[in-house]
């Protein structure tokens, strides 16, 4: 997606540890007109799929998932990283190792909001080593829902996540795939 790539080149910055900061338009301050275009593009790429629910993980996937969901006209459900007394009843559970926070979260989702009748599109901001997506895939499998695909805004193609997910036969669409990045240069696939 050209608009996104241009924006990454203009406003993104590379931090130590292979982290791309896009805080000015995606992860902290959010450019809603850009995210609207991102949502439209996900709709175009998954238009033939009978999506009934969009699944993401807190926190930075939620805003993107919500705007995308308006184009599919379906609810968003997000996996929570913290146990809450407000979560009543049975939950699906999985572990996700966070790339940016270097810790493992016990991720949960209420069984009320995902089941065998659902056709799921996963949405997230970044794909690095694939832990977040693999955790969400675990939850979908546990629920008996059909996984229709995964939409990622920025894939870091030099890390292992994309290959793992594609080798599983999952329909993965990344709007920008970064081949290499350093302080001074960033190239796309
Ligand atoms: P993975 O689980 O694929 O290793 O990493 C994906 C998750 O880590 C995403 O949900 C995202 O929040 C975070 N993440 C991974 N790499 C980056 C990065 O380069 N920049 C930012 N801002 N977040 C990242």
């Amino acid at each position: 997606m050209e608009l996104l790539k241009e924006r990454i080149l203009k406003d993104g910055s590379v931090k130590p540890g292979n982290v791309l900061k896009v805080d000015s338009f995606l992860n902290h301050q959010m450019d809603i007109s850009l995210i609207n275009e991102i949502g439209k593009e996900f709709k175009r790429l998954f238009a033939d799929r009978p999506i009934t629910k969009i699944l993401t993980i807190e926190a930075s996937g939620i805003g993107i998932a919500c705007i995308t969901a308006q184009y599919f006209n379906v609810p968003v459900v997000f996996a929570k990283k913290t146990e809450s007394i407000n979560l009543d009843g049975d939950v699906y559970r999985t572990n996700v190792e966070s790339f940016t926070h270097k810790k493992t979260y016990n991720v949960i989702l209420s069984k009320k909001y995902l089941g065998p009748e659902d056709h799921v599109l996963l949405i997230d901001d970044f794909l690095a080593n694939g832990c977040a997506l693999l955790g969400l895939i675990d939850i979908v499998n546990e629920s008996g829902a059909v996984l229709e695909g995964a939409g990622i805004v920025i894939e870091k193609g030099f890390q292992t996540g994309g290959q793992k997910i594609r080798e599983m036969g999952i329909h993965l669409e990344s709007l920008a795939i970064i081949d290499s990045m350093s302080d001074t240069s960033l190239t796309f696939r």
Side-chain angles (χ1 to χ4, degrees), residues 38-106:
I38 287 171
K40 254 187 243 173
E41 184 64 3
F42 283 138
K43 174 65 188 175
R44 190 183 70 76
L45 292 167
F46 292 99
D48 60 337
R49 304 292 178 122
I51 312 290
T52 63
K53 209 155 275 187
I54 290 182
L55 174 63
T56 188
I57 182 165
E58 65 178 2
S60 45
I62 297 175
I64 300 159
C66 288
I67 290 184
T68 301
Q70 292 186 302
Y71 291 97
F72 287 87
N73 233 327
V74 298
V76 171
V77 61
F78 60 93
K80 293 186 176 233
K81 287 179 179 163
T82 45
E83 198 89 29
S84 153
I85 51 166
N86 297 330
L87 263 186
D88 50 338
D90 263 357
V91 293
Y92 305 114
R93 285 176 193 280
T94 191
N95 286 321
V96 169
E97 197 188 317
S98 163
F99 179 81
T100 38
H101 297 111
K102 304 284 176 239
K103 65 189 245 192
T104 300
Y105 293 96
N106 178 17

Side-chain angles (χ1 to χ4, degrees), residues 18-20 27 60 99-100 124-132 156:
N18 273 334
V19 172
L20 176 66
N27 280 154
S60 45
F99 179 81
T100 38
D124 206 3
D125 57 344
F126 273 90
L127 175 59
N129 291 323
C131 299
K156 292 188 290 179

